[in-house]
Amino acid sequence: MDYIIRLADNTRPATLKLLRRLHSECLPYDKLPNFTEGFWWIAYHGDDAVGFAGMVRSARWIDAGYMNRAGVVPDHRGHGLQKRLIRVRMRYAKRIGWRWLITDTTENPPSANSLIGCGFRAYDPANPWGGRTTTYWRRAL
Ligand SMILES: CC(C)(COP(=O)(O)OP(=O)(O)OC[C@H]1O[C@@H](n2cnc3c(N)ncnc32)[C@H](O)[C@@H]1OP(=O)(O)O)[C@@H](O)C(=O)NCCC(=O)NCCS
């Protein structure tokens, strides 16, 4: 069975609940993001929701999006789903007129490798917003 990725309607309470559940399963120690902001996608395997990803307008650049969170539930990791969740955001960002996608990783080799696989390059922002071990990534669309 293949995976299907759908843009989520984050005005629906049921969708917000599902995103919160996926987030808790994938990132149990991280603070919940505001799921009502920006764009969110949910990956399905049949009827099961197995992954999610978000993107907001960059707070720093008007023509850029920021990929703020992603997760794939443990049983479905290693099937390229994170890369598909990156590519769906790249396509959407381009369609709505953004020219860049930005993100960061902190001590997360799988995410870094997914970003490299999708053509992202590491860079040093003028004003870094993360911690000491954060790597910053960008890709022109
Ligand atoms: C990070 C995460 C989203 C990856 O999801 P996934 O669907 O398994 O990722 P993909 O299959 O698309 O790709 C993972 C890449 O990392 C590589 N990888 C996997 N484990 C690795 C490890 N321990 N060290 C280095 N690379 C690793 C894979 O080989 C693959 O790279 P490749 O395509 O070049 O072979 C998933 O592990 C997860 O949800 N983790 C917890 C939440 C999290 O860290 N989210 C991201 C930050 S918000």
Side-chain angles (χ1 to χ4, degrees):
M1 197 186 298
D2 197 11
Y3 296 101
I4 290 175
I5 296 173
R6 295 205 187 97
L7 182 62
D9 177 357
N10 60 347
T11 63
R12 290 183 61 228
T15 307
L16 298 174
K17 193 174 165 194
L18 178 55
L19 285 165
R20 283 195 293 268
R21 176 170 72 70
L22 287 166
H23 190 279
S24 308
E25 219 174 309
C26 299
L27 297 139
Y29 306 110
D30 286 29
K31 192 168 165 262
L32 283 173
N34 180 355
F35 288 117
T36 64
E37 268 178 14
F39 307 98
W40 293 88
W41 286 262
I42 297 175
Y44 293 87
H45 187 249
D47 291 335
D48 299 331
V50 297
F52 74 100
M55 178 174 78
V56 293
R57 180 189 280 280
S58 161
R60 294 165 180 239
W61 297 279
I62 51 163
D63 59 351
Y66 173 70
M67 296 196 296
N68 56 348
R69 211 55 72 88
V72 173
V73 300
D75 283 355
H76 291 271
R77 290 179 188 165
H79 296 287
L81 204 42
Q82 185 183 29
K83 283 184 289 295
R84 285 183 58 179
L85 287 163
I86 293 170
R87 289 195 190 102
V88 84
R89 286 176 286 180
M90 284 165 52
R91 283 195 295 274
Y92 197 89
K94 192 171 177 182
R95 185 142 38 94
I96 61 177
W98 294 346
R99 295 181 53 226
W100 291 90
L101 262 188
I102 312 285
T103 194
D104 54 78
T105 58
T106 301
E107 295 171 24
N108 196 329
S111 285
N113 279 333
S114 289
L115 290 161
I116 291 165
C118 292
F120 280 73
R121 303 275 294 171
Y123 80 110
D124 281 327
N127 297 300
W129 56 86
R132 203 173 43 81
T133 57
T134 299
T135 303
Y136 301 89
W137 303 90
R138 69 181 169 194
R139 190 194 194 284
L141 298 171

